[in-house]
Amino acid sequence: MTTIKEIRELLATVKDLDNPLFLEFEKDTRSGVQKEISKRKKAIQAELDEDLRLESMLSYEKELYKQGLTFIAGVDEVGRGPLAGPVVAAAVILPKNCKIRGLNDSKKIPKKKHAEIFQAVQDQALSIGIGTMDNHIIDQVNIYEATKLAMKEAISQLSPQPEHLLIDAMKLELPISQTSIIKGDANSLSIAAASIVAKVTRDELMKDYDDQYPGYDFVTNAGYGTAKHLEGLEKLGVTPIHRTSFEPVKTLVSTKKDK
């Protein structure tokens, strides 16, 4: 009789739900065999569902492929809202019809999966550009304009230069055709790829800043105004990476000047 281990190994080679091996093994009354069948069917269904999800996230790209365009860049940013640190943008050109398992809006990807999916994007992308605008530029021109500057910097690093841009809720003054997509990181794989690259890049920067400026919990909050961060501001004051045009940092700076 075929052992359960051997059946598990055979089922691992099955890729579709109507494979005749399922019918054959379903005749086996052993509970261990039935569990292996159920487990494999669930895994195959999950793969099919993931493929459908990724296919739907390629809808904007596929429309552009039909127009004869190949080099399509997804563009996204991370770090508009924090009280400290830079805004980071990324631009990513993926190969035609590229599907990366687990790729999604970076906010929907479990933290423990960030590095793995970031690496998968790096391995498969045709080109990646990263733009960073620090807190001083943000304070000079405002966060919206700084975000656009970071995006332009990221796009300028791409080679080949993109034929079209898919951008998360932005329009850029560039001589490249573009589509602005609301919640683009959840609706376009190219933008989702840019989202995870920007997120991981910025998180690493904030880890370094946590070493330079301990006491604000930058490694956990990435510069956002959490309770620990606000507590650090009260106790330790404003650092060189804080955005002085953002409240409550702005008030802390003006209060210090008045003293």
Side-chain angles (χ1 to χ4, degrees):
M1 183 182 278
T2 312
T3 67
I4 292 173
K5 184 180 179 229
E6 287 169 338
I7 288 172
R8 185 189 306 126
E9 288 169 354
L10 282 167
L11 287 174
T13 67
V14 175
K15 303 295 179 190
D16 50 84
L17 291 169
D18 55 3
N19 191 290
L21 271 179
F22 282 126
L23 288 173
E24 185 183 328
F25 291 140
E26 275 163 4
K27 295 170 190 170
D28 193 317
T29 56
R30 285 176 292 175
S31 63
V33 173
Q34 296 307 312
K35 278 180 185 172
E36 290 300 331
I37 291 168
S38 175
K39 188 177 168 186
R40 185 61 193 142
K41 280 188 172 181
K42 278 181 185 172
I44 292 170
Q45 188 60 56
E47 283 288 311
L48 293 171
D49 291 345
E50 176 66 353
D51 196 65
L52 276 174
R53 185 187 71 81
L54 294 171
E55 191 67 29
S56 72
M57 285 183 74
L58 275 173
S59 59
Y60 287 96
E61 287 85 345
K62 282 179 175 291
E63 282 302 311
L64 293 164
Y65 298 152
K66 284 178 190 173
Q67 297 169 34
L69 302 175
T70 306
F71 302 123
I72 300 157
V75 186
D76 199 11
E77 54 69 35
V78 172
R80 279 211 225 181
L83 307 179
V87 61
V88 176
V92 178
I93 300 176
L94 294 175
K96 194 173 179 180
N97 292 313
C98 175
K99 291 178 186 173
I100 296 170
R101 293 276 184 248
L103 182 55
N104 204 339
D105 168 5
S106 63
K107 294 183 286 297
K108 295 180 182 176
I109 300 172
K111 188 89 171 172
K112 63 183 179 182
K113 289 270 189 185
H114 280 192
E116 178 190 327
I117 293 172
F118 172 73
Q119 189 59 52
V121 172
Q122 282 204 312
D123 292 344
Q124 296 190 52
L126 297 177
S127 186
I128 294 174
I130 295 168
T132 303
M133 293 295 141
D134 68 19
N135 55 303
H136 302 298
I137 293 169
I138 292 166
D139 289 335
Q140 284 167 25
V141 301
N142 77 47
I143 187 61
Y144 185 75
E145 292 302 322
T147 298
K148 291 203 285 189
L149 288 171
M151 286 181 167
K152 287 177 180 177
E153 183 182 300
I155 293 160
S156 73
Q157 294 171 14
L158 295 174
S159 181
Q161 272 287 287
E163 299 165 309
H164 192 91
L165 306 174
L166 296 175
I167 312 177
D168 188 23
M170 276 273 202
K171 274 281 186 186
L172 298 175
E173 298 78 28
L174 287 173
I176 307 170
S177 64
Q178 52 197 273
T179 307
S180 176
I181 305 169
I182 302 296
K183 293 189 177 175
D185 44 10
N187 291 298
S188 157
L189 272 185
S190 302
I191 297 177
S195 171
I196 194 67
V197 169
K199 173 68 175 160
V200 172
T201 301
R202 189 175 188 281
D203 282 352
E204 287 301 313
L205 284 171
M206 294 311 293
K207 276 184 197 172
D208 292 341
Y209 284 133
D210 190 66
D211 292 335
Q212 288 180 54
Y213 308 108
Y216 300 87
D217 198 32
F218 289 147
V219 71
T220 306
N221 60 45
Y224 283 87
T226 61
K228 281 189 179 178
H229 186 175
L230 296 176
E231 191 181 317
L233 273 170
E234 283 294 328
K235 286 182 181 175
L236 305 167
V238 176
T239 71
I241 67 157
H242 275 99
R243 302 174 182 180
T244 56
S245 57
F246 280 43
E247 290 292 3
V249 182
K250 188 176 181 179
T251 299
L252 283 170
V253 170
S254 64
T255 304
K256 191 178 176 183
K257 282 178 182 173
D258 293 339
K259 285 182 179 177

